[in-house]
Amino acid sequence: MNFKTILLIAVLLIGVYSVGYSSEKDKELSFEDEFVIEKGYYQPYYFQLEESDLLDVLVETEGTPIDVYLLDSNNFNQLESNGTFEYYQFRGNSIKTQIKFEAPNYDTYYIVFESLNSDAKVKFNYTAYY
């Protein structure tokens, strides 16, 4: 076999492998919810994600600003125990916001909605791409 034939076979094999691999990540899960957060409280939602899974979240209130955090499990546990925590993303004083996130590793990730000033009616939807 000449060099061009070997190269063509290699490219085809890589292409077949890549298509097979990418179809594993082409699954998606969507969800919508509405709820009320009472003043001074927070509402978490969690997602089990593997490395490179994608999360797309859209949040909207009926005019009451809220804070929205994206945390990993360790930092969510810190939040729950009233400790200092870090976040991957934060949207403060939001009425409408979108969060897009690619998981850096396998973990449970949390979107936390918090209302500090008054009760807030929240609508949110998410799509996770696996």
Side-chain angles (χ1 to χ4, degrees):
M1 283 198 248
N2 65 28
F3 178 74
K4 287 183 181 181
T5 304
I6 293 171
L7 184 60
L8 179 61
I9 291 170
V11 169
L12 289 173
L13 288 174
I14 291 170
V16 167
Y17 176 77
S18 297
V19 169
Y21 179 76
S22 67
S23 67
E24 296 286 322
K25 291 286 186 183
D26 288 340
K27 299 173 189 148
E28 69 179 61
L29 174 66
S30 295
F31 179 77
E32 293 183 20
D33 197 9
E34 287 187 30
F35 54 89
V36 174
I37 307 172
E38 294 180 21
K39 175 183 175 181
Y41 290 91
Y42 62 87
Q43 171 71 44
Y45 278 82
Y46 68 91
F47 311 88
Q48 195 78 34
L49 300 175
E50 295 187 18
E51 183 177 349
S52 79
D53 287 349
L54 303 172
L55 186 63
D56 187 0
V57 178
L58 181 61
V59 180
E60 189 170 1
T61 72
E62 291 186 341
T64 304
I66 63 170
D67 292 343
V68 182
Y69 299 89
L70 175 64
L71 311 170
D72 61 16
S73 60
N74 183 48
N75 284 293
F76 180 74
N77 291 333
Q78 292 292 331
L79 169 69
E80 290 274 277
S81 63
N82 294 320
T84 302
F85 65 92
E86 296 179 9
Y87 48 81
Y88 282 96
Q89 293 190 35
F90 171 72
R91 304 290 191 277
N93 227 14
S94 297
I95 293 172
K96 184 175 184 179
T97 191
Q98 184 171 20
I99 292 177
K100 293 186 177 209
F101 174 70
E102 181 175 346
N105 53 27
Y106 175 80
D107 201 349
T108 301
Y109 295 90
Y110 294 81
I111 296 287
V112 178
F113 308 96
E114 183 177 33
S115 183
L116 298 174
N117 299 320
S118 62
D119 292 358
K121 185 172 183 181
V122 178
K123 290 177 15 177
F124 93 103
N125 63 61
Y126 76 83
T127 303
Y129 301 92
Y130 302 99

